[in-house]
Amino acid sequence: MIAQLTGTLIERSAGEVIIDVSGIGYRVLMPSLSASQLPPVGEVARIRTYMHVTDSSIALFGFADADEELLFKQLIGVTGIGPKIALAALSTYSPAQIIEAIIAQDASFLAKVPGLGKKTASRIVLELKDLFPEDMVSCSVKGPKNTSSKAAFEEIVDALLGFGFTTQEIELALADAPDGMTESELLTFALKRLGGA
């Protein structure tokens, strides 16, 4: 079982990377945001990995940390959830957001993951809700506390989701947005940070 790879990052694309370890290039499938946080191509990267073996294929999945890997394993343990859907979930939401949705039994939130329907999302909630304590701190995307900025923030989140960004990317882009910004200012602020990511 391959649990970790350390080598030169030689290629990165949406959802996967290739890392050269002693002359062998390993293709590793990763959540898109985790892949984007690796060092630049040409530099040394270290990736936690999980090797998924079936009768017809062997695939390596990579993660930013142990928590992300653990949640991936918990997701693929759910009836009807394969690695592709688990990876899509972690590319759409942060681990904290997925866990919060499970605790809140919010299947509709999880059903927004591409390829994951409401019925399967409900199964995730049903099978995993007992794994997480109900008093875990809320980690969903949070905006400014004052009401006027909050309304603008919510509009920008919806707009950025429409552009194809994930909620995890949006959360990082808007994390330090000053209170009182207009929608136009928030959008400019977020796009600058997303463009520089």
Side-chain angles (χ1 to χ4, degrees), residues 160 165 173 181 185-197:
L160 291 171
F165 296 107
M181 279 185 143
E185 290 169 338
L186 271 173
L187 183 59
T188 301
F189 180 89
L191 288 174
K192 281 182 178 178
R193 298 192 70 179
L194 289 164

Side-chain angles (χ1 to χ4, degrees), residues 112-177:
K112 294 177 184 176
V113 172
L116 182 62
K118 182 72 179 288
K119 185 175 180 180
T120 309
S122 297
R123 191 178 299 126
I124 290 174
V125 169
L126 179 66
E127 295 190 23
L128 298 184
K129 62 183 175 64
D130 292 337
L131 295 180
F132 307 105
E134 293 184 4
D135 60 350
M136 287 183 73
V137 177
S138 173
C139 298
S140 60
V141 176
K142 297 176 179 66
K145 294 180 180 178
N146 71 69
T147 305
S148 60
S149 291
K150 185 176 180 181
F153 179 89
E154 290 172 352
E155 290 291 331
I156 295 307
V157 169
D158 288 340
L160 291 171
L161 286 170
F163 291 156
F165 296 107
T166 68
T167 54
Q168 191 173 1
E169 291 169 327
I170 296 167
E171 178 181 4
L172 291 174
L174 293 173
D176 302 320

